[in-house]
Amino acid sequence: MLPFDQDTIAAISTPPGIGGLAVVRLSGPDALATLSPLFSAGESLTPRYATYGTLIHPDLAVGEFDDCIVTYFKAPHSATGEDLIEISIHGGAYLQQKLMEVLLSAPKIRAAGAGEFTLRAFLSGRIDLSRAEAVADLIHAKDSAAHKNAIHQLGGSLRTLVQSMSEDLIKTLTIIEAELDFSDQEIDQTPLSDLLAPLVKLLKTTEDLLETYFYGRRLEEGFRVPLIGAPNSGKSSLFNLLLGEDRAIVTSRPGTTRDTIEKTIIVAGHSVVLIDTAGLRKTDIEAEISGVDRSKEEIEAADLVILVHAPDTKSASLEKDINTPQITVFNKIDTITTTPTGKDTYLSCTTGEGLDQLKQLLYAQVINMVNAGVGGVILNSERHRDVFKRFSLQLSAGVAAIKGEVGPEYVASDLRLALDILGEITGKTTPDDILNQIFSGFCVGK
Amino acid sequence: MLENSAKPTVSRESYDVIVVGGGHAGIEAALAASRMGKETLLITMEIQALGRASCNPAIGGLAKGHLVREIDALGGEMAKATDATGIQFKMLNRSKGRAVWSPRAQIDKIAYSAYMVETLSSQPLLDLYEDEAVRVIANPDKTAVTGVSVRGGKEFNCHSLILTNGTFLNGLIHIGDKQFSAGRVGEPASIGITESLAELGLETGRLKTGTPPRIKRESVDFSKTTLQTGDENPEPFSFSTTDFSPPNEACYITNTNPETHTIINQSIDLSPLFSGVIQGVGPRYCPSIEDKVVRFSDKSSHQLFLEPEWSDADQLYVNGFSSSLPEEVQLASLRSVPGLEKVKFIRPGYAIEYDYFPPSQLKASLETKKVSGLFFAGQINGTSGYEEAAGQGLVAGINACRTIDNSPPFVLKRDEAYLGVLIDDLITKDTDEPYRMFTSRAEHRLLLRYDNAHFRLTVKGFDLGLVSKDFYDGVKEDHRLAQLAEVEFEATYIKPSLINSTVKPQIPVTESQSLSNLLRRPHVPIESIKPLLPDWVQNLKPSLLTLIATNTKYRGYIEREKLQVERLSKHQELVIPSDIDYIPMNAISFEARQKLQRIRPETIGQASRISGVSPADVSILLILIKKHVSRETI
């Protein structure tokens, strides 16, 4: 990632946290081509016009990601001098992340580096030259902060992990490079297939790491825990009960859709966002008409689901369809004489019986989620996740190349590219680094 | 052929270009300059020593073979000379992908030198003068070179001066505790040039290299060695070589053993390397035998190659046994090696220390930044290898002429040629070790194959006037045929039944495939589809067919590499003002500022390649340069 590459970059442009609105920007030659298929009004984007529509996310229900406003600025008449697209969506970290996720999965897009939009704006002359030093300082500050941030947030463990992954990759690459630069008369040759094992291991580590991203985001924003159940199962009462007992921090914010209520509580020192889907009742009829089950969306996005059953409701089938970790609750036990079986906990919102047990279960689950991660490393930055996704793709290409018996110089090319991608976090590996490894590891030279 | 006793006289005292040093760099420089129409003088201490190979009697090899092909495409001489005087030719890395195949030849040293002497003597516009250059002369404020003086007293004037002194500047040979001044064994060192350059403000350093003993063929028991010959039908280095059927002389392989290593270890402190007597730094990729035995003590044996130094030579070169141990120790340790029990030396191995000039003082044209008109090429820049030297000599010779014509300098980019990588590395890195080319140094290696060197570079050689029209036309025709074939491969479809019977894939195909798609499948070697190719393609010369097939099979990788080049090309060539001061740029890291200030890169691209300069530093630099430049123009 250099100041003179022609990639299209994406970033959240509004400050982190929760606001009414968030703006995600795309700048570069592939901005329009990337966004059009993801936007309902993609065909009708006109330069400098704000266009209303909905975003399309492949994983979510068709047509119902979020309403948004997209403004398209055609190069050179934009803040960066390149094609620039601004997407305004409702605030809420969850939506921002979902949008970034779908944008970054497009082939020619990558996450912007520190200060990159500003840099491009400057280089195309959109920012006054008299502000040059200010811009330079800004980039410097952002870059250092980005570095410090990476170190600070996870106690340096991300860097350590990436460093060791990098070293493993360099070891394999060194063997290939040594054999390319020193003939079989000078050093022993290793069959390429022997090199597969360490690479496959690296791939697994990367996949595992990518899976922690979800948790990483959650650590930042709070684990999402919706209360799901049929109407009248007592969700709202339970919701209020859980909140009422824990007044440590309670913040109210607009939810992912307009029809839920979210409140944050602290469990085991971590934010947990409880979501009451009871609010849906108001728009149940509309929901039925439009055929969209909003609770399904919440379940998709959830880290943990609290399924609320009650004697007078038919909700036995709920658990079967849900893959997310769940706590099943049987509510209103004060209204029945024989306690059913098969649920995690039984309580009564009226008497408060069983509430402690539920909280303990909640606590245990949160601890579980926090302890997930690879070697204690959890990804929580969109940019880092983008790096690892691209790394995984590139490394897989290298593995496929070895299996396809492609020439070693092509395998080396694949692996070098993968190493460069990792280098966006650790710093670049140069040919001299590889040569140093070769000389210290092999007795070469006639 | 020039008679030994006849020394050429020179008719003038003023030349356009003067070259000092008749080694591989000097030869290419002198030929290039005179062929480009400039009055050129080559000063050398011994005309008969022109083109002498100091060390390994071989040209080419991994990455070096690529350089030789590029020199050929640009109109240089090395490839032709090698074809004419080689005694064994071998394509290395044959067991690997074609993109890293690299040709190597063992040469007849005597014939090679004679070839060069003849070529230089008969070159129009080129005079040869035999004497030792002792002082570089510059104008009073030391900003431009004006000439050079020789020990005999004469002074020559020139517009451009190219120094290619190799290992001769204050050369000091070490054998055990013996030391004596020399540029190469049997030849005197060059004294005075370094000092005069230092006076002009140029920094100098010290490097070392070593060479193995030369032994008498008749003292070797070949029954205890393994014979190795070259390729049966080798390809020539030069595009212009036709009817190529060179000799195929054998070399012989044997191995050291623990006894050899013990003898060496017992006398290790007698090695000037280990006793610290030698100042200079040596190359890691060409370690002495002492080095190998000490650093890789767990290896119980090291391979040695006994190579004849010329056709039917009675003198063999012991490749793999570079040493500066005392002669007796060298002899004793070699006598423990199978086949060498009764070996006799013609000459022991030795180490040589010499002056060099850190090449960060040079521009990409190889002209020094401090003194205009002064060019350095070859080992004097801290490189090792004949091919690296020749390439630099060629570029220096070209640019020495271009400055005279006020033309922009001839600079090859890193994605155009290994020669581009070589020079850019030299002027950008801070290494204190002799530089040798490796394919891993080229980030765009996939584009820089030895077999496409001519397609990449001949047009440049032609535009410079160094390549003949016939040569160029020949290359263009091959290129045209290759492109035609590649298009045809995409468009020609083969029926499944034919594919299955000819290629016999693991899983039989059910649909017609284009030839190119077939080639791109994994596990389909190029040879297996040959019967399916159109006749005219099958009849192309084998090397061209191989090139076409490689381009097709790996098109995906090649296109990706080209995209990478494209992707990084913006701002690369942006020129950094030469008066820029990095120290007050607080937004750039201190380490980066120091490096930038010392190396003084010419372009943003070069700045980004300096170690210690991060992408953020480059962004900031870009901004501040824009500001600097715009302010100047207001």
Side-chain angles (χ1 to χ4, degrees), chain A residues 399-416:
Chain A
V399 168
I402 293 178
K403 290 183 178 162
E405 288 176 19
V406 152
E409 68 275 30
Y410 299 101
V411 175
S413 164
D414 279 327
L415 296 182
R416 272 188 179 192

Side-chain angles (χ1 to χ4, degrees), chain B residues 141-216:
Chain B
D141 56 353
K142 301 183 183 171
T143 55
V145 80
T146 55
V148 66
S149 65
V150 295
R151 198 167 285 291
K154 241 173 141 63
E155 258 186 40
F156 294 99
N157 298 322
C158 61
H159 193 284
S160 300
L161 179 67
I162 308 176
L163 295 183
T164 61
N165 308 70
T167 58
F168 282 63
L169 292 176
N170 290 315
L172 188 65
I173 286 187
H174 297 258
I175 307 176
D177 58 358
K178 287 206 234 137
Q179 286 177 20
F180 51 94
S181 161
R184 190 160 47 206
V185 79
E187 297 176 55
S190 166
I191 318 285
I193 294 277
T194 304
E195 290 72 13
S196 74
L197 289 171
E199 267 174 47
L200 295 175
L202 290 160
E203 271 175 48
T204 179
R206 206 82 175 135
L207 286 175
K208 79 157 184 78
T209 189
T211 195
R214 310 318 198 246
I215 60 178
K216 283 201 172 130

Side-chain angles (χ1 to χ4, degrees), chain A residues 4-5 7 122-123 129 133 140 177 179-181 185 189 405 409 413-414 416 432 436 439 445, chain B residues 93 96 99 228 284-285 292 295 303 429 439-440 445 557 560 567 570 587 623 626-627 630:
Chain A
F4 29 73
D5 65 29
D7 294 347
F122 182 79
L123 289 175
L129 281 172
E133 266 98 13
H140 173 73
E177 294 284 5
E179 294 180 15
L180 287 173
D181 278 324
Q185 302 190 325
Q189 313 277 297
E405 288 176 19
E409 68 275 30
S413 164
D414 279 327
R416 272 188 179 192
D432 278 327
N436 287 340
F439 292 132
Chain B
N93 263 349
K96 298 177 201 140
Q228 191 188 69
R284 283 176 298 176
Y285 44 82
K292 290 191 208 180
R295 277 181 42 219
Q303 228 176 23
K429 285 172 181 298
T439 63
S440 57
R445 170 171 58 194
Y557 281 96
R560 178 177 76 186
R567 186 175 162 254
K570 205 172 173 197
I623 294 169
K626 274 201 101 183
K627 180 177 181 223
S630 75

Side-chain angles (χ1 to χ4, degrees), chain B residues 398-411:
Chain B
I398 292 168
N399 283 318
C401 299
R402 307 271 287 194
T403 51
I404 296 175
D405 298 335
N406 269 319
S407 306
F410 177 71
V411 174

Side-chain angles (χ1 to χ4, degrees), chain B residues 536-592:
Chain B
W536 74 270
V537 176
Q538 289 198 42
N539 294 331
L540 289 173
K541 59 183 155 174
S543 56
L544 194 52
L545 185 53
T546 304
L547 179 143
I548 294 164
T550 308
N551 277 351
T552 306
K553 190 169 175 74
Y554 295 108
R555 173 150 313 129
Y557 281 96
I558 294 170
E559 290 307 312
R560 178 177 76 186
E561 200 56 58
K562 287 188 186 161
L563 267 171
Q564 274 292 99
V565 173
E566 262 279 319
R567 186 175 162 254
L568 300 174
S569 61
K570 205 172 173 197
H571 300 306
Q572 282 272 346
E573 305 298 315
L574 187 70
V575 168
I576 299 178
S578 52
D579 59 342
I580 203 161
D581 184 6
Y582 295 101
I583 302 300
M585 293 179 178
N586 291 316
I588 296 181
S589 74
F590 187 64
E591 187 202 353

